[in-house]
Amino acid sequence: MSNKKIKYLHALLSEIEQHIPLKDQTNPKVTKSDIGWQLDHSLKVFNAVCEWTIKSNPADYERKFSFWRTVLFPIGYIPRGKVKAPKIVRPPNVILDEDLKTQLQTAKNHIDALKPLPEKAYFKHFIFGKLSKKQTLRFLEMHTNHHLKIVRDILKA
């Protein structure tokens, strides 16, 4: 796990942290959800993916072709509004600053927990399939950045 990747993940989490005070802002032209929803969902996904990867059995990893991974990972892009978030990573109706801060600290700790994992530690994504540690980190970057772009668009208006 390169220091550059670690720094980038920390930078994304720092940006999430900066937006916590703005969690109630909305822009219906961009999305129905508020900033808090975007932040909470991003952190829930980040932590769930990390926990799965930490608990994975590297011996069970097998690389398989995924069309969407092949297309989207190199460009680092996730299209908007194409996939509905699974229930487990959907935010609650009321999002509290304290909950966001707790999830944020957990996410920071997870980055450190991922460092020593073997390359075949993996996360099984429902569209992209089994992602190696390197691919999992790429997914975390892409997904977090996807939701931060939505936050930035909400704030532009």
Side-chain angles (χ1 to χ4, degrees):
M1 208 162 122
S2 74
N3 282 338
K4 187 177 177 183
K5 197 161 286 282
I6 292 167
K7 284 182 182 177
Y8 186 60
L9 288 172
H10 277 293
L12 292 174
L13 293 177
S14 292
E15 187 175 347
I16 286 176
E17 187 170 21
Q18 291 166 14
H19 293 308
I20 291 173
L22 310 172
K23 72 177 175 53
D24 297 322
Q25 288 192 32
T26 60
N27 181 347
K29 292 178 187 166
V30 176
T31 181
K32 291 181 251 179
S33 61
D34 60 18
I35 287 175
W37 192 99
Q38 300 296 326
L39 302 180
D40 189 87
H41 170 69
S42 293
L43 290 167
K44 277 183 172 33
V45 167
F46 198 102
N47 288 321
V49 167
C50 289
E51 286 164 21
W52 171 290
T53 306
I54 291 163
K55 292 175 184 172
S56 73
N57 179 357
D60 294 338
Y61 174 75
E62 53 187 290
R63 184 174 170 88
K64 286 191 177 163
F65 176 78
S66 162
F67 173 78
W68 288 114
R69 185 180 67 231
T70 304
V71 171
L72 299 175
F73 273 47
I75 59 174
Y77 176 73
I78 296 175
R80 282 192 193 176
K82 299 295 181 198
V83 176
K84 190 172 181 182
K87 278 186 183 176
I88 195 163
V89 289
R90 279 193 219 141
N93 291 332
V94 177
I95 298 168
L96 304 173
D97 288 22
E98 246 349 275
D99 290 343
L100 290 172
K101 290 174 184 174
T102 300
Q103 290 182 78
L104 182 67
Q105 187 55 54
T106 301
K108 289 177 183 178
N109 294 340
H110 276 139
I111 294 173
D112 294 330
L114 291 174
K115 284 183 208 175
L117 296 180
E119 284 308 309
K120 289 190 175 185
Y122 71 95
F123 167 66
K124 187 176 179 184
H125 189 272
F126 66 106
I127 293 172
F128 300 128
K130 287 183 180 177
L131 303 175
S132 67
K133 180 171 110 172
K134 183 178 179 181
Q135 292 169 327
T136 297
L137 295 171
R138 179 67 171 152
F139 171 73
L140 289 173
E141 290 175 3
M142 289 169 54
H143 185 268
T144 306
N145 210 10
H146 168 77
H147 288 283
L148 284 170
K149 284 179 190 174
I150 295 170
V151 168
R152 290 180 213 121
D153 286 350
I154 290 170
L155 292 172
K156 274 184 199 170

